[in-house]
């Protein structure tokens, strides 16, 4: 999960609800405290439908800063949810594709 705002949390919950095999194993936001808070919110909501155990993001897989997305993508994930501000999506998307990751990204895809 890259981008831990409202849409990022919603997309993560959608993924957990859509497939019982989905596990969330890494998260990134520019601000670490925002990522930590959103993960706690996701875990609480996921518990309501029996999926809290599929949120497996230990502190060492919570990334922050403007380059944290690279660490999240490189952390062994199979696919990436891009829920950041559209201005950053082109570089995030390009990096994910370069690393052969599947990507979930809603519109607007990018501003340029």
């Amino acid at each position: 999960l890259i981008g831990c705002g409202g849409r990022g949390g919603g997309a993560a919950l959608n993924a957990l609800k859509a497939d019982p095999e989905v596990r969330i194993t890494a998260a990134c936001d520019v601000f670490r405290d925002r990522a930590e808070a959103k993960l706690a919110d996701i875990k609480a909501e996921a518990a309501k439908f029996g999926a809290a155990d599929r949120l497996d993001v230990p502190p060492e897989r919570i990334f922050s800063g403007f380059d944290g997305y690279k660490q999240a993508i490189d952390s062994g994930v199979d696919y990436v949810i891009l829920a950041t501000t559209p201005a950053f999506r082109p570089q995030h998307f390009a990096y994910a594709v370069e690393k052969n990751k599947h990507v979930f990204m809603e519109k607007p895809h990018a501003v340029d």
Side-chain angles (χ1 to χ4, degrees), residues 11 26 28 33 36 42 47-48 60 86 88 92 98:
C28 175
D33 61 331
E36 292 169 339
I42 294 167
K48 294 177 182 177
E60 62 270 15
F88 295 105
H92 296 173
E98 176 186 319

Side-chain angles (χ1 to χ4, degrees), residues 10-94:
L13 286 167
N14 293 153
L16 289 170
K17 287 179 182 177
D19 186 340
E21 298 298 316
V22 168
R23 291 179 53 233
I24 297 174
T25 60
C28 175
D29 196 89
V30 172
F31 304 104
R32 184 178 178 92
D33 61 331
R34 187 172 182 171
E36 292 169 339
K38 183 54 66 178
L39 289 169
D41 292 346
I42 294 167
K43 190 164 200 118
E45 286 298 312
K48 294 177 182 177
F49 57 92
D53 62 326
R54 293 190 284 126
L55 187 68
D56 179 23
V57 186
E60 62 270 15
R61 286 197 307 264
I62 300 173
F63 306 101
S64 59
F66 287 105
D67 287 333
Y69 72 96
K70 291 179 179 179
Q71 294 169 297
I73 291 169
D74 292 339
S75 70
V77 300
D78 295 322
Y79 78 94
V80 179
I81 297 171
L82 294 180
T84 59
T85 303
F88 295 105
R89 287 193 200 155
Q91 72 189 68
H92 296 173
F93 181 64

